[in-house]
Structures are given as C-alpha cells and as structure tokens.
C-alpha cells in the first residue's frame, strides 16, 4: 500500500479498510490498542450473523494493520470469495452496517476490479468520474455511500484537492464536510439494490439436501458446518494427482455410510450437482441405478466423500495439533466470550449442554478464523481440522443411524432450472430495470412505430468517443437536431486546407476545439483565393456524391430502399416524360428515400429473423427502452412480411413526418446517403439482417 491505496491484485478477492476519524496524531501503541478494542467490539456485535454463515473460501475477518507512509494505522481484512459473488456483496452489507453502528469509523472496499461499487452504479455516475481519478474517493460513512467530488477548476473549492486525494486528505474531508460528499440517490439505490434483503437473505441462499455419507464426515459437519465448502471445493477443483488418494479410501470408508442432512449454499450445491463423475471401482463406492429414488443422495454423498478424502490426503501423517491451543490462550478470547454472553449468543442454553457446546465450538472456530487469525504458516488447513476433529470428537455410528428416521425434508432444487422468462427477469433486475409489462392485443394492433425511429435518431445524435456511445436513458427524448453549416465547416477543415492553409474566419472557438486533427491551423492567415479554392473543392465533392447517387439509384442497392412519393412535379413537362423519370436519365429527379420507413422496415426484418432469440435488433431497442410486440406471424413469406411492415409503418407518413416550410424548395437530387442533408446511413442498419 502506497500513498494512494492500491487495488486488490488477487483474483476474486475483496479488501476492506476501516479508519478511525478524526485522523489525529496518536501514540502508535495506544492507537493499536484502540483499534484492537474496535475489532473485538465489531466481531462480537456481528457474531450472531457471521458465525453460522457458510463462506465459499475465506470468512470475513479483521486485523490490525500498522501505518505505512501517509496511510494511517487502521483495521484491515481480505476475503477470497471465489465463485460465489454473493459473499462479496454480503461483506459490502457488513461493512456498511459497521459504519452505521460505529459512526466514528470510515470504510472503503475494493476488489481486483478496483472500485466495484462504482462499476455497479456506472449508469448514474457523474461525467467527471472515471477510473483515472477515482482513487480514494469512495467511502462508507455512517451507513451512507460517500463520493468525494473533484473541483471544476483547481482551487475553486478550498477544501477539495485538484488531484485524487490521499487517505489523510480524504479522512479530513469526510470528518469536516460529511453532508457535502454524499453520493446521489440513484447511485445509492444502485448499490443498495445489490445488498437488499440481508440478513434475511442469508437463509434464502442455503440449500438443504440428503447425502449418503461416511459417518466420520457426518460427525465433522455437525461440529464444523462450514467445512462443507472446503470439501466441495476439493472435489470441484480435483486433478488426477488428487484422485490417486481416492482409489482406496483410508479415512472415510464406504462401509460406514449413513443418510444425513447437509446444508450447502446454493453455489456449492450447484457446483457439486453439475459435476459428472464416476468413482474408481477400487474405492468401494458403488452407485445405485439412476432410477433409484435415493440416487441423488448417493451421488452427492459419493462426491462429497471424495472431496474430504482429498483434503485429508494432503496432510502430514504426524501433524501437530498444538495450533489449536494458541487460540484459547489469546488474551482476546476471554473478553470475546464474555461479550458473546452479553449479546445473548447462546440463546439461554444451559452451559455444558450439547447445543451449548456446539455453539461454543462454532464461536471458537469463528474467533480463530476471524478475530485472532494467525499467520498463514500457522493456520491449520481444512484437512488438519478434519483429522483433529476425528481424533478429539467421539461419535457412535449406531446413534447417527437412528437419526436417519427424523431427518428434515430436503429443499426443492427447481431453482437450478431457469425458464426464459425467469432469466429475462433476472437480467432486468441485475440491470436495475423494471420488468416490462406484456403488450396487450389492442396495444399490439395500435402499436406506434414512431418511437422506434425516434429512439434510433436520439441514439445517433448522442456523442460517441473511443470509450463508446451513450445510449438515451429515456425513449421520449427530443428528436435529433442537425446543424448542417457546422458540419460543413468541419468537412472544410478536414478536406480543404493544405499544410499552410487554414479554415474560414467564421469558425468559433468551440468548433475549433472539436477537431481531432493534429495540424496547427492558423485562423488569422487566409487569402480570398484560398477560400475560393476551398469552396470549389467542396462543390466538386458534392458533385461527385450526386453522380454516385445517380449511379447507385439504378442498381440493386438503390432499388432496395423504399422511396417517397413525389411531392411536386419538377416542371410542367414532367407528366409527358414519365418514362424518363422511371429510368433516371438526364435531368430527372431522384425520388427521395423514405428514411423512417426504411429504418423501421430493416429493424423489423432483423427482429423477425431472430425467431424470438436475442439478437442485434432486440438488444439495441431494449437498451433504448423500446419493446416491440411479439411476432405472431408463422413462417411468413417475404412479400407478406413486407406488407405487414408497410401496413404497420404507414403511421410514420401521417404522424411523424413534418411538413416542409412554405419557402422550402426541394433539392434537385436526394442522395441515398447524404449526411450533409441530415439523412442517415442505412447501409449500417441493413447489416443487422446478417
């Protein structure tokens, strides 16, 4: 960690930092003692929620981290959440609640992607905020998400640094101006949507299933339910070397198997179920036929037994169990246990009873892993924990077999199968969108296709850069406004000037800043001859474009566009030369292209060709908030499909197209792709059909 805190570099890992404010000079030893007390208070307060939680890889933990450079001493934790992203968001909830319960603490959280809270709220971030200037700006304080703003101009706000703040600067800003750095409601809502439902959501993320397991594993899971995660991960990530230990089982013999109820997280259960595996014949794990009513229980138990055997095979045969005694001799343990009793962790159970001892063992394990976490070299591996429990915890197989008759029912696993509608709903919830209401038959018959063309025009009018294009957030945005003069000025700059030439004097500063050219143009040195040459070049270009359009008009490309009806005859002799007009020869007028009709026609053709699946047309329209009715035509021919398209698009001619002004004179030719006249390039839109 340097002056600006670096993001986590380990894959699928989240880091969290808790700072004490105000950031004042303190004696290092005294400050360490204060932070240690906070760790004890935090872990004790949230113990009822954290103790029974089953983590995918590593639990939530806190430890003292001494100051380094400009970063003051603080509380630090790191958790590898692996494939279960819900562990990361549960930690976000816990960190937020910590700052709410302890207002004098400020927290920041990040993973290997960086500021993932900003990634979650990317659609609502201010324009100035990007990955380059977001360092040390995002914090939790008093249960609220805070984003330290940047001044528009250096020195405009005295308490805001012009560069990304350091940790001491950020802590000082939060303590002195907490009300001015709150994130907007939309950003807060985007983050809160991901952590909504906790802590009740914890139970909903669990899945209970019956497993035919060796008695030793059943006894271990009774003492340490969290070890089911290590067993599943060992089986899920197995390799041929691991499977050598499973040819002949030495620790968990198949002859001792009994039926038991095991609690998984949904992620762990899915990982175990979806793995196809056939045990070695020498292992002794024989499977019943798939039609057997308890085949799933036998399969789950066989896979889990392989995982536990792999864990134990990686342990030294003479490992030391002295590591366990380190925990109970810690000076924090007595205070931690007393705090648990004050917070009614034991729920009034009689001290010494079986249930009391079970909760006490869970508390000890939680304390060792989260509060008094040892260095990695001293921490026992899951296999060592399993072997220690087998040696120290006696169990009676006959007593365990008697419990088979009173097993709780297992949960339904229909959640593994998602229908297309459920998948769409999950995607909409993940994107923060409301579920789209189905379109009624009446609405389908009267569907207004103008919103398709208007949304597309609004999309094209948005500014795009190398970072991408901005999608319109509302489908009812104002229609596109096109400044032809400004566009022609840009065109002049790009094509007209020579190395010693410049643009005309009517360019303002704003236009000049929009250029992406590296040429050093001098706006003050320009001759009238050069200006005339520039206009001549532009006229030649327009002439070439007109000739190109004339040639394309008689090809299959030109005929593929639907054209408008002639608004007025070119001359009095036009009616006598209708054949000339059809052939496009001489001075005839090209029939203007119906921009809106071609746009809607091609999009509907693309939408129809998707056959109800995802595709470019539906993805583009949904991103702009436009929902088309389902295609009820079964295997339509091209002619019938085009008839439907034209019938549905007729409203565009009557409602959407604006009448030309009285002094408007139609152009002699209407190019097929004239951007200068405000038309749209439909060659790109036609690519949707491929």
């Amino acid at each position: 960690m340097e002056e600006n805190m670096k993001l986590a570099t380990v894959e699928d890992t989240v880091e969290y930092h808790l700072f004490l404010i105000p950031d004042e000079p303190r004696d290092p030893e005294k400050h360490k003692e204060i932070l240690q007390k906070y760790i004890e208070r935090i872990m004790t307060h949230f113990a009822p929620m954290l103790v029974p939680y089953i983590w995918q890889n590593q639990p939530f933990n806190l430890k003292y981290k001494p100051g380094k450079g400009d970063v003051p001493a603080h509380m630090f934790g790191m958790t590898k959440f692996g494939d279960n992203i819900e562990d990361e968001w549960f930690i976000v909830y816990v960190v937020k609640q910590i700052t709410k319960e302890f207002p004098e603490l400020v927290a920041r959280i990040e993973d290997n992607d960086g500021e993932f809270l900003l990634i979650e709220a990317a659609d609502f971030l201010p324009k100035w905020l990007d990955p380059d200037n977001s360092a040390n700006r995002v914090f939790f304080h008093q249960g609220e998400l805070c984003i330290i703003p940047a001044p528009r101009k250096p020195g405009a706000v005295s308490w805001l640094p012009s560069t990304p703040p350091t940790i001491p600067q950020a802590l000082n800003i939060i303590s002195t101006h907490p009300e001015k750095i709150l994130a907007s409601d939309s950003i807060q809502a985007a983050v809160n949507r991901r952590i909504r439902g906790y802590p009740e959501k914890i139970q909903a993320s669990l899945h209970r299933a019956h497993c035919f397991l060796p008695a030793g594993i059943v006894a271990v899971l009774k003492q340490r339910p969290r070890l089911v995660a290590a067993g599943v991960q060992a089986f899920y990530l197995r390799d041929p070397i691991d499977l050598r230990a499973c040819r002949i089982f030495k620790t968990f013999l198949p002859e001792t198997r009994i039926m038991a109820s095991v609690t998984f997280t949904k992620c762990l259960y899915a990982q175990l179920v979806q793995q196809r595996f056939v045990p070695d014949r020498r292992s002794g794990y024989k499977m019943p036929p798939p039609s057997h009513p308890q085949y799933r229980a036998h399969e789950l138990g066989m896979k889990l037994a392989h995982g536990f055997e792999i864990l134990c095979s990686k342990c030294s045969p003479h490992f030391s169990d002295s590591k366990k005694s380190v925990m109970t001799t810690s000076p924090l343990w007595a205070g931690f246990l007393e705090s648990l009793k004050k917070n009614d962790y034991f729920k009034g159970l009689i001290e010494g009873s079986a249930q009391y001892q079970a909760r006490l063992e869970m508390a000890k394990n939680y304390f060792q892993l989260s509060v008094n976490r040892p260095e990695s070299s001293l921490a026992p591996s899951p296999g060592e924990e399993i072997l220690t429990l087998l040696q120290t915890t006696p169990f009676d197989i006959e007593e365990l077999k008697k419990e088979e008759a009173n097993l709780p029912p297992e949960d339904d696993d229909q959640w593994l199968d998602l229908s297309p509608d459920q998948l769409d709903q999950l995607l909409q919830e993940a994107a923060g969108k409301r579920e789209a209401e189905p379109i009624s038959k009446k609405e389908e018959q009267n569907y207004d296709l103008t919103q398709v063309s208007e949304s597309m025009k609004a999309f094209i009018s948005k500014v795009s850069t190398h970072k991408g294009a901005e999608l319109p957030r509302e489908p009812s945005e104002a229609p596109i406004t096109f400044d032809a003069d400004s566009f022609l000025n840009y065109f002049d700059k790009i094509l007209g000037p020579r190395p010693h030439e410049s643009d005309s004097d009517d360019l303002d500063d704003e236009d000049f800043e929009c250029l992406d050219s590296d040429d050093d143009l001098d706006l003050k040195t320009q001759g009238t001859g050069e200006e005339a040459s520039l206009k001549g070049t532009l006229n030649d270009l327009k002439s070439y474009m007109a000739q190109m359009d004339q040639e394309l008009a008689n090809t299959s490309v030109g005929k593929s566009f639907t054209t408008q009806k002639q608004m007025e005859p070119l001359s009095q002799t036009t009616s006598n030369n209708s054949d000339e007009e059809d052939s496009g020869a001489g001075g005839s007028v090209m029939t203007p292209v119906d921009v809106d009709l071609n746009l809607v026609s091609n999009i509907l053709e693309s939408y129809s060709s998707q056959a109800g699946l995802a595709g470019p047309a539906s993805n583009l329209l949904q991103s702009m908030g436009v929902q088309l009715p389902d295609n009820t035509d079964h295997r339509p021919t091209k002619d019938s499909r085009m008839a439907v398209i034209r019938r549905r698009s007729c409203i565009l001619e009557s409602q959407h197209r604006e009448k030309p002004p009285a002094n408007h004179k139609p152009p002699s030719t209407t190019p097929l792709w004239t951007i200068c006249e405000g038309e749209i390039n439909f060659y790109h839109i036609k690519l949707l059909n491929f």
Side-chain angles (χ1 to χ4, degrees):
M1 189 184 306
E2 301 297 334
E3 181 176 349
N4 288 334
M5 302 185 66
K6 296 180 180 179
L7 55 85
T9 56
V10 184
E11 281 293 321
D12 302 328
T13 300
V14 59
E15 293 184 358
Y16 30 97
H17 311 260
L18 297 170
F19 300 91
L20 187 62
I21 58 171
D23 183 27
E24 300 174 348
R26 298 182 179 91
D27 178 67
E29 290 300 323
K30 186 176 181 180
H31 191 41
K32 179 179 180 179
E33 183 180 349
I34 294 174
L35 293 179
Q36 290 283 15
K37 287 291 184 181
Y38 269 104
I39 292 175
E40 180 183 341
R41 291 172 58 192
I42 291 171
M43 302 307 291
T44 304
H45 184 273
F46 292 94
M49 182 170 53
L50 294 174
V51 168
Y53 192 87
I54 300 176
W55 300 91
Q56 183 80 7
N57 279 293
Q58 296 174 344
F60 177 85
N61 60 89
L62 287 176
K63 66 179 182 179
Y64 169 79
K65 189 160 190 175
K68 183 178 180 181
D70 284 343
V71 181
H74 61 283
M75 294 167 280
F76 169 76
M78 182 173 67
T79 299
K80 185 175 182 180
F81 53 86
D83 294 326
N84 192 0
I85 194 66
E86 286 302 321
D87 282 2
E88 181 178 33
W89 287 106
F90 176 56
I91 290 175
V92 173
Y93 169 78
V94 173
V95 170
K96 180 182 178 182
Q97 292 302 116
I98 289 174
T99 62
K100 185 177 181 179
E101 188 69 25
F102 302 92
E104 64 276 16
L105 295 180
V106 173
R108 62 176 276 101
I109 184 168
E110 58 191 359
D111 63 9
N112 52 285
D113 291 327
E115 300 287 356
F116 67 96
L117 298 179
L118 298 184
I119 296 175
E120 186 66 26
D123 291 337
F124 311 102
L125 297 182
K127 297 292 184 183
W128 60 267
L129 189 58
D130 57 43
D132 296 331
N133 61 11
S134 62
N136 302 331
R137 292 190 185 276
V138 185
F139 293 86
F140 277 114
H141 178 51
Q142 296 182 355
E144 301 290 342
L145 184 64
C146 301
I147 299 178
I148 298 177
R152 295 189 176 184
K153 296 181 180 180
V157 182
S158 59
W159 52 274
L160 286 178
S162 57
T163 58
T166 62
I167 291 296
Q169 288 176 332
L171 296 179
N172 181 60
I173 292 172
I174 294 173
S175 60
T176 55
H177 303 88
E179 71 286 347
K180 296 181 180 180
I181 60 174
L182 291 178
S184 65
D185 293 341
S186 55
I187 296 177
Q188 299 261 18
V191 174
N192 291 336
R193 184 166 50 245
R194 286 304 303 263
I195 60 178
R196 182 174 53 205
Y198 284 112
E200 294 79 10
K201 192 178 178 180
I202 297 175
Q203 290 298 321
S205 66
L206 300 178
H207 182 89
R208 295 165 183 83
H210 291 172
C211 300
F212 199 50
L213 286 168
I217 298 179
V218 176
V220 168
L221 292 180
K222 277 180 172 290
Q223 295 292 323
R224 304 282 171 83
R226 66 170 183 84
L227 286 176
V228 68
V232 173
Q233 290 298 297
F235 175 78
Y236 186 73
L237 302 175
R238 68 192 181 279
D239 56 34
I241 297 178
D242 293 334
L243 291 178
R244 291 179 184 176
C246 300
R247 293 173 181 172
I248 300 177
F249 277 65
K250 299 179 180 179
T251 306
F252 302 106
L253 304 180
E255 295 81 10
T256 64
R257 287 181 293 176
I258 59 174
M259 193 67 68
S261 178
V262 179
T263 301
F264 303 86
T265 63
K266 288 184 176 179
C267 180
L268 293 171
Y269 180 78
Q271 286 181 326
L272 202 62
V273 168
Q274 64 92 27
Q275 288 272 304
R276 294 184 178 181
F277 179 73
V278 178
D280 193 292
R281 293 182 179 179
R282 294 167 288 183
S283 67
Y285 280 85
K286 297 181 180 180
M287 299 293 295
S291 58
H292 193 279
Q294 293 182 334
Y295 175 80
R296 176 59 64 84
H298 281 75
E299 183 185 35
L300 291 174
M302 177 268 297
K303 294 177 180 178
L304 200 56
H306 278 71
F308 273 76
E309 188 72 20
I310 291 172
L311 290 174
C312 293
S313 68
K314 296 181 178 180
C315 298
S316 172
H318 302 290
F319 68 93
S320 174
D321 60 353
S322 60
K323 302 172 185 177
K324 185 179 178 182
S325 61
V326 176
M327 182 270 297
T328 54
T329 59
S330 170
L332 294 176
W333 167 247
F336 179 76
L337 182 60
E338 189 65 27
S339 298
L340 288 179
K341 294 178 180 178
K342 291 180 180 179
N343 284 274
D344 195 28
Y345 167 75
F346 293 99
K347 306 294 183 182
L349 296 173
I350 300 175
E351 188 171 352
S353 63
Q355 293 182 349
Y356 181 93
Q357 289 299 123
R359 295 187 71 86
L360 180 62
E361 286 297 322
M362 291 175 63
K364 288 181 179 180
N365 184 47
Y366 167 77
F367 177 83
Q368 182 179 4
L369 293 175
S370 301
V371 182
N372 194 40
R373 190 176 185 180
E375 298 297 330
S376 57
S377 59
L378 299 176
S381 67
E384 291 175 347
E385 284 190 70
I386 294 170
L387 293 177
T388 300
L389 288 172
L390 291 176
Q391 294 175 4
T392 58
T393 306
F395 59 90
D396 187 354
I397 297 180
E398 296 301 324
E399 289 294 328
L400 294 176
K401 286 184 177 180
K402 293 179 182 179
E403 297 179 3
E404 291 185 6
N406 299 320
L407 292 179
E410 54 183 352
D411 297 335
D412 190 0
D413 61 0
Q414 288 297 319
W415 52 267
L416 286 170
D417 303 320
L418 287 180
S419 65
D421 293 338
Q422 291 174 325
L423 179 59
D424 289 340
Q425 182 178 356
L426 289 176
L427 293 176
Q428 289 174 355
E429 291 177 355
K433 299 177 181 178
R434 296 180 180 179
E435 184 178 359
E437 298 181 357
I439 300 177
S440 63
K441 292 184 178 181
K442 184 177 180 180
E443 292 176 341
E444 182 176 348
Q445 293 175 356
N446 299 327
Y447 189 83
D448 186 3
L449 290 174
T450 55
Q451 60 178 307
V452 177
S453 59
E454 290 297 327
S455 297
M456 182 64 70
K457 289 180 179 179
F459 171 69
I460 294 177
S461 68
K462 290 293 181 179
V463 177
S464 62
T465 65
H466 66 281
K467 296 182 180 180
E470 296 181 359
L471 289 169
R473 294 184 182 174
E474 297 294 336
S476 59
E477 284 191 274
I480 178 174
T481 57
F482 187 84
D483 187 354
D485 294 335
S486 178
F487 181 83
L488 291 177
N489 287 334
Y490 298 153
F491 218 79
D492 294 346
K493 299 173 190 177
I494 296 173
L495 297 180
R498 299 293 186 266
H500 298 290
E501 293 176 348
S502 59
D503 296 322
S504 59
D505 294 332
D506 57 354
L507 292 175
D508 55 20
D509 294 337
E510 182 179 357
D511 294 333
F512 182 76
E513 291 175 356
C514 292
L515 284 175
D516 291 329
S517 174
D518 294 332
D519 297 335
D520 187 14
L521 302 179
D522 186 6
L523 296 178
K524 298 181 180 180
T525 59
Q526 176 165 351
T528 57
E530 294 175 348
E531 183 178 358
S533 175
L534 179 61
K535 292 183 178 179
T537 302
L538 186 58
N539 291 333
D540 290 341
L541 178 61
K542 290 183 178 180
S543 177
Y544 293 150
M545 294 171 63
Q547 293 178 21
M548 188 187 308
D549 293 330
Q550 287 285 356
E551 293 178 4
L552 290 175
N554 296 320
T555 64
S556 58
V557 175
K559 294 178 181 179
S560 65
F561 292 97
T562 305
T563 59
Q564 303 174 9
K565 297 179 180 180
Q566 281 293 90
M567 299 179 62
E568 58 181 274
L570 178 64
S571 63
Q572 296 178 353
T573 60
T574 303
S575 58
N576 297 327
N577 297 326
S578 57
D579 293 338
E580 272 188 16
E581 182 180 271
D582 294 336
S583 63
S588 61
V589 178
M590 289 176 53
T591 307
V593 172
D594 191 327
V595 176
D596 292 335
L597 182 58
N598 279 276
L599 169 63
V600 176
S601 299
N602 283 281
I603 288 182
L604 290 180
E605 280 191 86
S606 177
Y607 183 76
S608 178
S609 65
Q610 294 176 191
L613 302 176
S618 60
N619 291 342
L620 183 61
L621 292 175
Q622 287 180 3
S623 65
M624 295 186 293
V626 178
Q627 182 187 11
L628 289 177
D630 294 333
N631 183 14
T632 57
D633 299 332
H634 299 285
R635 301 174 61 182
T637 63
K638 182 177 180 180
D639 293 339
S640 63
R641 184 167 66 248
M642 289 305 300
V644 171
I645 291 172
R646 289 191 176 93
R647 184 171 65 252
R648 292 182 177 179
S649 303
C650 65
I651 192 172
L652 296 175
E653 297 182 2
S654 60
Q655 293 184 1
H656 176 65
R657 187 163 302 284
E658 298 179 357
K659 295 182 180 180
N663 58 352
H664 173 73
K665 183 178 180 180
S668 58
T669 60
T670 304
L672 293 176
W673 57 279
T674 309
I675 278 189
C676 293
E677 297 295 334
E679 303 288 348
I680 301 174
N681 188 340
F682 283 100
Y683 295 111
H684 292 296
I685 295 176
K686 276 188 171 292
L687 291 177
L688 293 173
N689 294 326
F690 298 98

